[in-house]
Amino acid sequence: MSLPTTGGRVTAAAEVTGPAGRYCQADADLFPVDPAAPAIKLRVALPAGWNGKALMFGGGGYNGTIPDVTANVPFGPADRPVPLARGYATFASDSGHQQNPAAPPSLDGSFGANDEALVNFAAGDALKKTRDASLFLIRHAYGTKPAEVYFAGGSTGGREALNVAQRWPAAFDGVISAYPAWNNLAEILDLGYLTQVLSRPGAFPGPDKQKLVYDSVVKACDGLDGVVDGIVSNPGGCHFDPRALRCPAGADTGPACLSDPQIGSVVAMSTPFRWPYRVASGETQYPGFPFLSGADMRTPFLGFGTTAPANPMPVTSGYGMQYWDQWVKYFLTRDPGQNSLEIDPRRPGKWLDRINLLSTIEDRNNADLRPFARAGGKLILMHGAADELVSPYSTSDYYERVRAVAGPRATDAFLRYYVVPGANHANFGTPALAAGWDSLTALERWVESGRAPGNQVVTDLTHARTRPLCEYPGWPRYRGGDPGSASSFACTR
């Protein structure tokens, strides 16, 4: 059943010829029920050589722009055509609001002041509305509906991918969910706490100290998989104590060591954050981030940032700190003048009721995916082990919840989960391993032919090397031979 709108209109249509081939691009607006709410803007790409299938892309951050319908799936391969070039009809939307062009990309939360726009984005209502309208246009163009419909997204798009499997189990035949921010409210509370920690006098580790931490962790843990190659393949076995980097007497004496307040910040980022109250979604904590995430100065924007959080929030602070600032201003208090540093996620006071409500909208944490499985759905779940914005521990938590509900054997019949060593958030910056994997072909074979993924290989897009893609909780151990070849590694636990 479709969700309510007040209709829609195609606003533009044009024939396009580009790297993905020749296709018709149609743009449309879906009108809101609340006249004060913005429209949902969507785009559909209709290839001349249609393969009879469709794929929807998820967004990122606070969305607000239409994802590139000519793009690849998250962690997609460099040596295979993108979905549109393979003949897929592709589609996506801005999730029901348009970003202020003056704001940093995907960091404009001002739409949260409107209830319908908030639910379209955070609860995912725009996903179903976009899917139904896009399939109508595809059917109108080709005279028939797609044989299979897939979804692929990472980060916010990864949460959207899990959301469609949870809420509309028969709407998509297969789903790719990468580094999903599924427990969005829980993560935001942790980000708020970290924002406060990093804003304390002397607590922010600058880029030099972030590099110090990163290099020290790699030096301590790189060889745990049997080879020194710049990739920590066994993050579960990596136990690093940042106090080993303590400056004399805990004072800040330069870039070669950490002061006591800076050690506190590094520990806070890598430690589970628990709040001393109940929230309506049932979440109780956020599991923290790996040392190899926010401590990687090669991608400081997503982790710590290059400058400490402050009021007003600098655009050079970490992405998560800016995300928290927007959330406080427009989702929580709905006061654009609110100083986000004054809101303590451990003691929210009068804002607790609002946090409770938002948790039911933003935490997409239903682990019962059995209806999706009964509908024939298949799910590929993946995360980079060095993600600096969405914790891989969080995705592992969700996976274990699904197994606890459905049982291990039933889960294996519809779900595969991979943690990619060395990969970070969306291959941003210069990760130790820039992941490339043809997950779409693996998903197609599973959905359309019943062949479950097996013996998968991930390519490092920047270092011309391969690694086995191990099913969680496995990781690749070196067993001899060319360290650049996946055949030289074996998945182990």
Side-chain angles (χ1 to χ4, degrees), residues 185-200 264 268 271-279 284-286 324 327-328 332 340-353 355-356:
L185 188 280
E187 180 177 6
I188 286 169
L189 293 177
D190 187 21
L191 292 174
Y193 169 67
L194 295 175
T195 300
Q196 292 194 329
V197 169
L198 291 168
S199 69
R200 296 170 183 166
T271 300
F273 174 66
R274 300 177 177 88
W275 43 90
Y277 50 86
R278 293 183 179 181
V279 295
T284 61
Q285 67 158 0
Y286 194 75
W324 159 260
W327 182 83
V328 167
L332 184 64
S340 62
L341 296 179
E342 294 177 348
I343 303 294
D344 187 347
R346 297 168 298 176
R347 292 176 288 273
K350 66 179 182 179
W351 301 113
L352 179 56
D353 287 345
I355 287 174
N356 267 316

Side-chain angles (χ1 to χ4, degrees), residues 265-304:
S265 296
V266 173
V267 170
M269 181 166 274
S270 60
T271 300
F273 174 66
R274 300 177 177 88
W275 43 90
Y277 50 86
R278 293 183 179 181
V279 295
S281 69
E283 296 303 313
T284 61
Q285 67 158 0
Y286 194 75
F289 296 85
F291 280 123
L292 285 171
S293 58
D296 183 356
M297 69 88 58
R298 295 173 300 180
T299 56
F301 174 62
L302 295 183
F304 283 110

Side-chain angles (χ1 to χ4, degrees), residues 136-147:
F136 172 82
L137 293 174
I138 292 170
R139 188 167 60 249
H140 182 76
Y142 297 114
T144 185
K145 66 180 183 179

Side-chain angles (χ1 to χ4, degrees), residues 243-258:
R243 289 175 296 185
L245 302 175
R246 186 173 186 257
C247 296
D252 191 346
T253 58
C257 59
L258 299 178

Side-chain angles (χ1 to χ4, degrees), residues 77 95 126 139 196 300 336 342 372-373 377 442 456 470:
S95 79
R139 188 167 60 249
Q196 292 194 329
E342 294 177 348
F372 176 71
Q456 299 295 301
C470 302

Side-chain angles (χ1 to χ4, degrees), residues 180 187 286-290 383-384 387-396:
E187 180 177 6
Y286 194 75
F289 296 85
H383 211 124
D387 195 307
E388 61 277 72
L389 187 58
V390 177
S391 174
Y393 305 145
S394 177
T395 302
S396 300

